[in-house]
Amino acid sequence: MLVLITYDVSLIEGDGKTRLRRVSKLCQNYGQRVQNSVFECHIDAAQLASLKHQLIDIIDPEKDSLRFYQIGNQYKNKVEHIGVKKSLDLDSPLIF
Amino acid sequence: MLVLITYDVSLIEGDGKTRLRRVSKLCQNYGQRVQNSVFECHIDAAQLASLKHQLIDIIDPEKDSLRFYQIGNQYKNKVEHIGVKKSLDLDSPLIF
């Protein structure tokens, strides 16, 4: 199923950048970045549970937030993108 | 129906901040901010069309992006939030 994951990581204090990088890297293992803090993941329920568990371990729940939207399998006509595409993943090395 | 709207507005050049503020203010008229660049809107198809039209007029499609996810009406078990809640809207004046 398609699961949308959105996150806010607070950069106001100390280790926010580290948490943000770790959240981003972890989500990359499960899906595709479509906007700066938005990932689309084609995963099953077990993978979702595992990803959620790992993300909860990374974030600071008093400063950051995660949202999970289970879009299901019939998503083709439910998702629309307008504007520039997220074509580069700035956290990853460019490999040609 | 519940429509999720996520956006990336590029702040790298000149008027990005103005576009970001305008996108944010417009979305506030249609729904609730749940994260910095994520709004949930309970709107019908006509309202969605109108909102989309106005947002397209604001953004720079070569720098910014919008995504629309039609979650439908059966969303209660499909959406999960973890961590801090977005309780203040930083773009709006605090009115008590």
Side-chain angles (χ1 to χ4, degrees):
Chain A
M1 64 182 165
L2 178 63
V3 178
L4 185 73
I5 301 169
T6 66
Y7 54 82
D8 266 355
V9 174
S10 171
L11 298 177
I12 291 174
E13 285 174 37
D15 57 352
K17 279 189 183 171
T18 304
R19 296 197 307 278
L20 183 61
R21 193 171 55 243
R22 290 183 66 199
V23 167
S24 167
K25 279 188 82 74
L26 179 59
C27 286
Q28 285 172 57
N29 294 338
Y30 286 84
Q32 185 190 4
R33 167 173 273 149
V34 292
Q35 286 179 333
N36 278 330
S37 300
V38 181
F39 276 81
E40 287 182 2
C41 305
H42 292 272
I43 51 180
D44 60 27
Q47 290 170 311
L48 174 58
S50 171
L51 173 56
K52 202 181 292 183
H53 184 78
Q54 294 175 77
L55 285 171
I56 289 170
D57 274 352
I58 294 172
I59 67 160
D60 180 335
E62 294 185 1
K63 297 175 183 163
D64 311 328
S65 72
L66 302 165
R67 288 181 80 84
F68 299 88
Y69 296 86
Q70 296 186 38
I71 312 283
N73 292 313
Q74 306 299 318
Y75 55 83
K76 286 272 185 280
N77 299 319
K78 294 180 185 168
V79 183
E80 185 178 0
H81 182 97
I82 292 168
V84 68
K85 287 274 182 182
K86 194 83 195 168
S87 54
L88 281 183
D89 191 334
L90 302 176
D91 291 326
S92 295
L94 288 175
I95 300 171
F96 295 99
Chain B
M1 64 182 166
L2 178 63
V3 179
L4 185 74
I5 300 169
T6 65
Y7 54 82
D8 266 355
V9 174
S10 172
L11 298 176
I12 291 174
E13 284 174 37
D15 58 350
K17 278 189 184 170
T18 304
R19 296 198 307 280
L20 183 62
R21 193 171 56 243
R22 291 183 65 199
V23 166
S24 166
K25 278 189 82 74
L26 180 58
C27 287
Q28 286 172 56
N29 294 338
Y30 286 83
Q32 186 190 4
R33 168 173 273 149
V34 291
Q35 285 177 334
N36 278 328
S37 300
V38 182
F39 276 82
E40 287 183 1
C41 304
H42 292 271
I43 51 180
D44 61 27
Q47 290 170 311
L48 174 58
S50 171
L51 173 56
K52 201 182 292 183
H53 184 78
Q54 294 175 78
L55 285 172
I56 289 171
D57 275 353
I58 293 172
I59 66 159
D60 180 336
E62 294 185 1
K63 295 175 184 162
D64 311 328
S65 72
L66 302 165
R67 288 181 79 85
F68 299 88
Y69 296 86
Q70 295 186 37
I71 313 283
N73 292 313
Q74 307 298 318
Y75 54 83
K76 286 273 185 278
N77 299 319
K78 295 180 185 169
V79 183
E80 185 178 359
H81 182 97
I82 293 168
V84 68
K85 288 274 182 181
K86 193 85 195 166
S87 54
L88 279 183
D89 191 335
L90 302 176
D91 291 325
S92 295
L94 288 174
I95 300 171
F96 295 98

